[in-house]
Amino acid sequence: MFLNGLKAKSIHKQIDKQLRKRDYKPSGAKPVVVALLQDSTKPFDPASLKKIFKILSLSEKDLVVLEYVKTMTKDQKELPALFSEKQLGWKGVFKTAPLEDFKKQRFDILISYYHSDALALRAMTAMSNAVLKIGVSPEMESVNDLTIHVNDGQESVFIKEFEKYLKILKVIH
């Protein structure tokens, strides 16, 4: 218990360090690669994802999805698109290569579609190398560049606001 608290504190320090360094600068280029970070218990509706592809003029291959699960089963450990708190080490180091790759990969947009306050989700969002970070949770405003306040299941509202703000930010035309 005591060590878990110290570990969490070391992760929070790394998150704060990343947030102090963060400075959103629009690239002015059309988005090419988009990432979706979500909680597996309340995933983004696949039909709605197609609308996002249409807005961004992208195909499904241009999307990288990473899902958070509270506890991982033995079968799930082999899936690179899933992660849990156990794969997050001291000082925010991710213990698997796919997670480190996701963290380091340059995404034009990272959509953090979750409301849970899981430390692993917060750490991945904060440490991601995304140009523009868009989230939905009011509690996560500090780690996102843009927060669109919507409840679970309101993908259509999210998409409408997503498109509106991307036009305002001149990410799309």
Side-chain angles (χ1 to χ4, degrees), residues 76-93:
Q76 290 175 326
K77 288 184 180 181
E78 303 302 317
L79 300 172
L82 295 177
F83 77 112
S84 70
E85 296 279 343
K86 294 215 182 251
Q87 293 171 312
L88 179 61
W90 287 79
K91 294 187 178 183
V93 174

Side-chain angles (χ1 to χ4, degrees), residues 33-99:
V33 182
V34 176
L36 174 64
L37 183 59
Q38 64 185 356
D39 189 334
S40 66
T41 59
K42 296 176 184 156
F44 201 89
D45 176 43
S48 297
L49 267 178
K50 292 180 193 245
K51 293 177 184 174
I52 288 182
F53 297 140
K54 187 176 177 187
I55 290 168
L56 297 172
S57 302
L58 298 174
S59 66
E60 290 184 38
K61 67 175 179 53
D62 300 319
L63 176 73
V64 179
V65 179
L66 184 63
E67 290 189 29
Y68 168 80
V69 291
K70 192 167 184 131
T71 54
M72 226 181 234
T73 65
K74 201 175 209 179
D75 297 334
Q76 290 175 326
K77 288 184 180 181
E78 303 302 317
L79 300 172
L82 295 177
F83 77 112
S84 70
E85 296 279 343
K86 294 215 182 251
Q87 293 171 312
L88 179 61
W90 287 79
K91 294 187 178 183
V93 174
F94 289 95
K95 297 178 181 178
T96 64
L99 292 176

